Structure formats: C-alpha cells, structure tokens
Amino acid sequence: MIKCISAIYFQIADPPLFSYDYPFSPISLSSSSVQQGQNDMGILQCEESSSNSTLSNPFHIKEPREFNGSFVTMTEVQGLCRDKQSLDGVDRMLQHFRYLVSKLKEVDPRKMRHDEKLAFWINVHNALVMHAFLVYGIPRSTLKRVSQLLKAAYNIGGNTVSVEMIQSSILGCRLPRPGQWIQSLFFPKQKFKAGDARKGYAIEHPDPRLRFALCSGSHSDALLRLYTPKRVFQELEVAKEEYLQTNTSVHKEQKLLLPKNVESYVKEVDLCPSGLKEMIQLALPEHFTRKYQGKLWKKIEWIPHNFTFRYLISHELLESVVSF
C-alpha cells in the first residue's frame, strides 16, 4: 500500500519530480499545493506551481566516510495536482491501491506478533493519511485539517479504524496537530470499550521512536519509508537518526536548533542532558560534532512544529515507481 500510494504521489506531484542520487539530502523539485475537493477523486483545478526548491545539505557531506550514521536520499513533495487529466494518468495505480485497501477487511491484527503489528500499523497509518489528502485535498483551515485526518478510516478485520485510533489507542503515539485545543474540544482521545475487538489490535507496549516514523503530511514530519516486521526495530532506530540528521541546524554558531518533536521524545524516554548530547553526536557528522564540541549543548532552542503540507519520500519507495 505504502509503495503504491507513494508511486501515485510521485506521478501527480506538480511540477513532476525526478530522482536524484545524493549522499545526504538530494536536490529535488517541489510542487504546488492543491485546491480542496468535494468528492472522491473529483475533478479539480491545479494552482500555479511554485518555483523549484532544493533540499539543502546542511553539513556539507561529500563522502560516506565523513558520516557516523545512515545516509538519506529522498524526494520532496510540497503538494498534489488532482485535476482530471492527472488522475486519469494514475487510474490503474488508483484501482490497484483501492484493491489493496479492500483486502484490509480480511486482515486480523490480533493474530500478529508485536513486531508485525508495529510494521503493519505504521504503514497503514501513513497510507491512510496520504489517502485522505488524495481524496479530500489539502484543507486550508485548521479545523478542516484536524477533522479530516482524525476521521479518515479503513475497514480492518471488519472493524472501522481511524487515524486517531491508530495513534492514540493502537500505537500510543499522538503526533502534534494544528489547533490542539480544537482537537481536545471536538475530538477527545478515543478509548476502546470493554469487549471491543479492536483492543486486540494494539501493540504490546508503545515505542517512543514511533514519532519519527508516523507521517501526517506536515513539514516537520519524519521521512516516509517502508517498515518491515523482520527489521522494524532497526528501521525505527534508523528513522530516529534520519530525523536528527535532516532537522538539526545551528543558528549563527551560537545555539543548536532542534524540533519540538525531538523534545517530546526526550521527555518520553526521560533522557538526561548528557544522553541527549550522546544521541545527537551519534546521529550527526563527525566533523560537525568535532567543530562545535561542547559549545552548543547548553544552548538548545526547540523549534515549533511546522504544519505546512509536505512529504519527504524515501528513495527506497520511489524506486518502486518503475514497477507500477
């Protein structure tokens, strides 16, 4: 599912995207935002496309040996074009995706092991959110965006499962959302009642690293990638490193800028200052940590979550575009 919908996003991004091979953050083209739709796959008009943008390489890495962690190659999508011509061009892929979605009703997550549930729900969550944007467009108002994402749902094992259920009741990881006071007022946290079969869908215990794997279409989100049962724990660790690699910056060599998403993770795992320093040092280029040594660790500024629409799609997913 996640490969198929990534292929669809790749095809209907405006302007068209191209694959680039770069050791840290590839040059990529951005796309324009879309106008909101009123029905499933309706005919819409595209807005004028924005100018091309580049994903920067903030640490100026040229060779793999300069880097301690994994390397990231990705493509950036800043919007979708959903006019009739664009959607007709991906009709075969859309039909295949709908078929895959329809098969979810035959899946029983209660029979899965913990690692299988983790990989399954991460992939389903990310595909469901992307599907919602594909169907309804990108809402301009905060209330519409919150309600759209929280209400989007699939039939899984004969039960309705929404984005909100996956985050709060199944995975135990609620992502930041715009207008959280609106969410608290109109969309309180959902809990499964006694006897609800969906209680068995939940993972055995939450994993704080999930916030680096779940994507909700925001600029501050993690990289979209595929998760597999056999390697899900290693993949979550890589996702955490990738998030630090692509979201850490320095302001005038005086302070370290980190996303609030990282601050939330630090609080969840009760990480001490020295633990935070070690985590960042392991993820970032050696020459970067060598240059600043102990200068910045006491001057950290937590950057608020940016809810502007964007997807960073891993090249491992985009390589599958050829097969569709």
Side-chain angles (χ1 to χ4, degrees):
M1 284 176 61
I2 199 68
K3 286 184 176 182
C4 184
I5 199 164
S6 294
I8 293 170
Y9 267 51
F10 185 89
Q11 295 295 331
I12 67 174
D14 177 40
L17 301 177
F18 300 93
S19 296
Y20 291 87
D21 186 18
Y22 198 76
F24 185 72
S25 296
I27 299 173
S28 68
L29 301 179
S30 66
S31 60
S32 66
S33 58
V34 301
Q35 296 179 346
Q36 185 177 348
Q38 297 179 354
N39 49 43
D40 189 2
M41 298 297 125
I43 300 174
L44 299 174
Q45 297 297 315
C46 275
E47 295 180 353
E48 290 298 318
S49 62
S50 59
S51 58
N52 294 349
S53 68
T54 302
L55 284 177
S56 63
N57 176 9
F59 307 114
H60 307 289
I61 301 170
K62 296 179 181 178
E63 299 292 339
R65 57 186 168 77
E66 297 183 44
F67 202 58
N68 291 333
S70 60
F71 280 77
V72 187
T73 40
M74 65 189 80
T75 295
E76 180 185 28
V77 175
Q78 291 184 344
L80 307 170
C81 182
R82 301 188 307 133
D83 59 28
K84 186 178 186 303
Q85 183 178 359
S86 297
L87 294 176
D88 285 347
V90 293
D91 184 64
R92 187 168 63 90
M93 287 188 284
L94 286 170
Q95 289 182 29
H96 181 61
F97 182 74
R98 293 190 191 103
Y99 168 76
L100 295 175
V101 171
S102 72
K103 299 298 287 184
L104 288 174
K105 65 178 179 291
E106 302 173 15
V107 177
D108 188 353
R110 294 173 298 181
K111 297 179 180 179
M112 297 180 183
R113 301 188 310 270
H114 177 66
D115 54 351
E116 292 173 330
K117 285 183 179 180
L118 265 178
F120 175 78
W121 287 116
I122 295 171
N123 292 329
V124 168
H125 171 279
N126 291 342
L128 176 53
V129 174
M130 295 176 80
H131 194 179
F133 286 124
L134 197 59
V135 172
Y136 302 114
I138 305 169
R140 299 189 183 280
S141 90
T142 296
L143 180 58
K144 286 183 179 180
R145 182 161 184 178
V146 172
S147 62
Q148 171 180 302
L149 291 185
L150 298 189
K151 289 182 177 180
Y154 283 151
N155 179 340
I156 301 178
N159 297 290
T160 299
V161 179
S162 67
V163 172
E164 169 61 14
M165 285 181 185
I166 296 174
Q167 289 187 16
S168 63
S169 302
I170 294 175
L171 292 177
C173 179
R174 300 185 88 184
L175 298 181
R177 301 188 183 103
Q180 294 209 248
W181 68 271
I182 297 176
Q183 174 192 320
S184 301
L185 185 62
F186 294 103
F187 309 100
K189 187 175 181 179
Q190 301 179 19
K191 292 184 179 180
F192 296 135
K193 297 179 180 179
D196 192 326
R198 292 173 297 185
K199 290 187 73 173
Y201 288 7
I203 59 176
E204 294 175 8
H205 50 81
D207 191 319
R209 295 173 299 181
L210 283 167
R211 62 179 55 258
F212 305 120
L214 300 178
C215 300
S216 60
S218 294
H219 195 280
S220 297
D221 278 353
L223 177 72
L224 179 72
R225 59 182 300 153
L226 175 69
Y227 290 85
T228 60
K230 289 184 179 180
R231 294 182 49 82
V232 66
F233 301 112
Q234 298 97 312
E235 288 162 352
L236 283 171
E237 191 61 27
V238 169
K240 183 186 73 174
E241 291 181 2
E242 286 176 347
Y243 193 82
L244 288 169
Q245 293 161 16
T246 54
N247 288 278
T248 302
S249 58
V250 176
H251 179 67
K252 296 181 179 179
E253 300 192 5
Q254 295 179 354
K255 58 184 175 183
L256 198 63
L257 305 181
L258 291 170
K260 274 192 170 291
N261 203 26
V262 175
E263 183 185 30
S264 297
Y265 171 81
V266 168
K267 290 179 179 177
E268 279 186 64
V269 299
D270 196 22
L271 204 60
C272 63
S274 60
L276 172 61
K277 177 181 176 180
E278 181 181 1
M279 179 180 74
I280 296 173
Q281 285 181 324
L282 288 173
L284 299 186
E286 188 176 330
H287 73 81
F288 173 84
T289 54
R290 218 176 27 240
K291 176 180 178 181
Y292 293 105
Q293 296 181 351
K295 296 179 184 177
L296 303 172
W297 308 115
K298 294 181 180 180
K299 300 177 183 178
I300 295 177
E301 180 177 334
W302 301 107
I303 306 302
H305 204 81
N306 183 348
F307 294 102
T308 305
F309 179 85
R310 183 180 76 164
Y311 271 97
L312 296 178
I313 304 179
S314 168
H315 265 212
E316 67 181 6
L317 291 175
L318 296 180
E319 286 170 0
S320 67
V321 171
V322 179
S323 64
F324 284 100

